[in-house]
Amino acid sequence: MKEEQVQDPNELKDEAVNETLAADEAEAAAENTADFEEASGGGEAVKRLQELAEEAQARTLRVQADFDNFRRRTQKEKEELAQYATSKLVTELLPVLDNFERALVTAPGNAESEAFTKGINMIFRQLEGVLKSEGLAAMETVGQPFNPEYHQAIMQVESEEHEEGIVTEEVQKGYLLKDKVLRPAMVKVSM
């Protein structure tokens, strides 16, 4: 529906040209029919030819409409392909992000490794920034109602803090690429 409301100026121009051509064809068909009717004096043959002309015109209009729909669908597919062209690469980088986070959580806190940990953290933030610029965003899950479109429940747990059906813990982060779920979050849900 929304696609039909927003049209490319070139499509509008094409539609105007097509409508003009269709009107010209209809006018020519009407003139031919009138000429033929005058020449033959009317009758069944004229009526039959008029019906054939109307059928041909209707068929032409259907073919034109099918072609317009095909062109719009192809244009939409091209736009979606361009929008999500990086999704495969970003998906393959998600385990790298997970491993960076695990490494930073388990990094020793002594003075000798502090500079190393700081460097790893900077590289992680840089990678995260690049992926964010491509449209990657982590999902907010804890405290949200369970939604099977965004969450993958791996366990149900009893919780006094949350009502039934609320995400209590995130086991693995979920990510969105623009408005599309790239990876659902693995979560624990209260019962």
Side-chain angles (χ1 to χ4, degrees):
M1 291 289 183
K2 190 175 180 181
E3 178 189 333
E4 291 178 7
Q5 293 172 350
V6 180
Q7 289 187 336
D8 185 28
N10 290 333
E11 288 183 17
L12 292 174
K13 188 176 177 182
D14 290 347
E15 287 177 12
V17 169
N18 291 336
E19 288 175 7
T20 304
L21 288 174
D24 290 345
E25 288 174 9
E27 188 176 321
E31 286 177 10
N32 288 339
T33 303
D35 291 344
F36 186 76
E37 195 170 319
E38 284 178 15
S40 66
E44 288 297 316
V46 172
K47 190 176 178 182
R48 177 70 185 135
L49 289 174
Q50 192 171 7
E51 288 173 0
L52 289 174
E54 288 172 2
E55 282 179 27
Q57 185 178 5
R59 195 176 312 134
T60 303
L61 292 175
R62 278 196 302 270
V63 168
Q64 183 63 44
D66 287 345
F67 180 72
D68 289 343
N69 289 337
F70 170 75
R71 188 175 48 196
R72 286 189 195 117
R73 191 173 50 244
T74 305
Q75 181 65 30
K76 185 180 177 185
E77 287 172 358
K78 281 183 184 175
E79 289 172 2
E80 285 180 0
L81 184 65
Q83 188 175 11
Y84 295 107
T86 58
S87 66
K88 185 179 179 206
L89 175 64
V90 173
T91 301
E92 290 176 0
L93 287 174
L94 291 181
V96 178
L97 277 180
D98 294 338
N99 289 333
F100 263 117
E101 287 178 339
R102 287 184 196 115
L104 289 171
V105 167
T106 59
N110 57 26
E112 295 173 3
S113 63
E114 186 177 331
F116 180 75
T117 304
K118 189 176 178 182
I120 294 295
N121 195 18
M122 289 172 65
I123 295 169
F124 173 64
R125 298 291 170 220
Q126 186 180 17
L127 177 62
E128 208 174 42
V130 170
L131 294 174
K132 192 174 183 179
S133 70
E134 288 295 320
L136 184 72
M139 294 179 191
E140 296 290 330
T141 56
V142 177
Q144 301 292 319
F146 175 73
N147 183 343
E149 292 181 20
Y150 297 101
H151 308 136
Q152 180 180 355
I154 59 167
M155 187 181 296
Q156 283 191 315
V157 294
E158 292 186 17
S159 173
E160 295 178 5
E161 186 181 344
H162 299 286
E163 298 174 16
E164 183 179 342
I166 302 293
V167 175
T168 58
E169 185 180 339
E170 183 180 72
V171 178
Q172 184 182 48
K173 274 188 176 180
Y175 288 96
L176 296 168
L177 184 63
K178 293 165 185 163
D179 57 346
K180 185 177 169 185
V181 175
L182 199 59
R183 185 177 77 184
M186 295 175 82
V187 296
K188 294 181 181 178
V189 184
S190 61
M191 60 179 196

